[in-house]
Amino acid sequence: MSTIFSRVDKKSLGYNVTQVDVFLAAARRAYDQPDLHNDELDADSGALESVDEIAAGTESETTLQATTLPANMGDEPGAANGAGAMYTLVVKQSEADETGTGMTLTAERIRHTAFAMHKGGYSPDQVDAALERLEDAFAARERDQATRAGGEQAWMAEAEGAVEVIVGRLSRPPGARFARTSVLAVGYKRVDVDRLANKLVKYFRDGRELTVAEVRTAVFRPERGGYREAQVDLVLDSVVDVMLAVR
């Protein structure tokens, strides 16, 4: 059982202890026991923090700065379905580690981690904060690996290509940036999404200050005939990938 997170009282809902512990074990295998290539990379960078230190928030903090790119570039947390899917993924990760089949825990998979709720579980606030720190750490390592393999210029070119697609989408006219649900179905309120879209365009084009946390925690009111949630979520997922890539 992890000693990193506090537990809520026995009558309150927290994250499933077993699922969180299994996830942390998989994260340790993926991050704390890297292959030789990663050992060399960490020796060069002096990055010695462990998953437990990152999860507990005791590693050295880094600040994400807005990055200016070329101006011509165009359910409730822990819901049962998401938690079950992620738990299955983590179990498969553990099995892959043991059998050598090569499944990899990545920043993107961490971003989509969800845990079931039960009484007396781990503090959701503490676990959620740890997940964000771990996502940042895994993303930084993935960038280091990619730049070592293909070079910084190739990495940035890929990121800039993604920005071009994102900005092109978010620069569409207000109310028409994403597909809409039918008038009888509920989606994200268009004006809320458009407001964030405007901020993101300014972030990518002009270097306006914006944090990953603001994107991660964005909340949109429901609206009949609103934007399709899956489509908006997919684009915002790509935004987080790019923001972590260019920090």
Side-chain angles (χ1 to χ4, degrees):
M1 182 179 300
S2 172
T3 59
I4 298 172
F5 309 117
S6 302
R7 298 181 67 164
V8 299
D9 64 67
K10 295 181 180 180
K11 294 183 179 180
S12 299
L13 290 174
Y15 285 151
N16 184 286
V17 169
T18 300
Q19 292 181 8
V20 174
D21 288 346
V22 169
F23 168 80
L24 284 175
R28 291 187 192 101
R29 282 189 290 272
Y31 193 85
D32 294 347
Q33 302 175 24
D35 57 25
L36 177 61
H37 175 81
N38 285 344
D39 284 337
E40 294 172 348
L41 184 149
D42 284 348
D44 291 343
S45 64
L48 301 176
E49 70 271 19
S50 68
V51 159
D52 286 356
E53 290 171 329
I54 296 168
T58 57
E59 86 290 0
S60 58
E61 295 290 337
T62 57
T63 302
L64 182 66
Q65 301 293 333
T67 300
T68 304
L69 294 170
N72 60 339
M73 287 186 174
D75 300 319
E76 177 181 338
N81 291 341
M86 186 61 210
Y87 187 52
T88 299
L89 186 151
V90 171
V91 169
K92 289 181 179 179
Q93 168 74 38
S94 301
E95 293 173 349
D97 290 335
E98 293 174 359
T99 60
T101 54
M103 185 177 182
T104 303
L105 188 63
T106 64
E108 181 181 6
R109 285 181 174 143
I110 292 172
R111 188 180 316 138
H112 295 292
T113 298
F115 304 110
M117 306 291 284
H118 73 177
K119 291 183 178 180
Y122 287 137
S123 164
D125 288 343
Q126 291 181 14
V127 175
D128 287 344
L131 289 176
E132 290 183 3
R133 290 191 291 268
L134 285 170
E135 181 189 348
D136 291 347
F138 271 73
R141 172 166 285 181
E142 289 160 21
R143 171 177 175 162
D144 288 340
Q145 291 172 339
T147 53
R148 177 168 290 215
E152 181 76 19
Q153 187 174 359
W155 174 266
M156 290 305 297
E158 182 177 349
E160 290 171 1
V163 169
E164 184 175 3
V165 174
I166 292 169
V167 171
R169 159 74 69 175
L170 300 181
S171 297
R172 292 178 181 179
R177 287 171 170 144
F178 299 93
R180 295 172 58 180
T181 64
S182 70
V183 294
L184 299 178
V186 174
Y188 288 147
K189 192 171 183 67
R190 286 170 292 158
V191 67
D192 291 350
V193 177
D194 287 343
R195 187 178 297 112
L196 178 60
N198 292 337
K199 291 181 180 179
L200 288 168
V201 171
K202 291 177 180 178
Y203 168 83
F204 286 121
R205 284 185 171 167
D206 307 323
R208 173 189 173 131
E209 185 176 351
L210 189 69
T211 66
V212 173
E214 289 178 82
V215 180
R216 284 172 172 157
T217 59
V219 176
F220 310 115
R221 292 170 291 177
E223 175 183 58
R224 292 191 183 278
Y227 286 140
R228 291 188 179 276
E229 296 178 3
Q231 197 175 85
V232 175
D233 291 343
L234 183 62
V235 171
L236 294 184
D237 200 41
S238 298
V239 166
V240 171
D241 282 336
V242 173
M243 292 178 78
L244 292 176
V246 301
R247 63 182 175 177

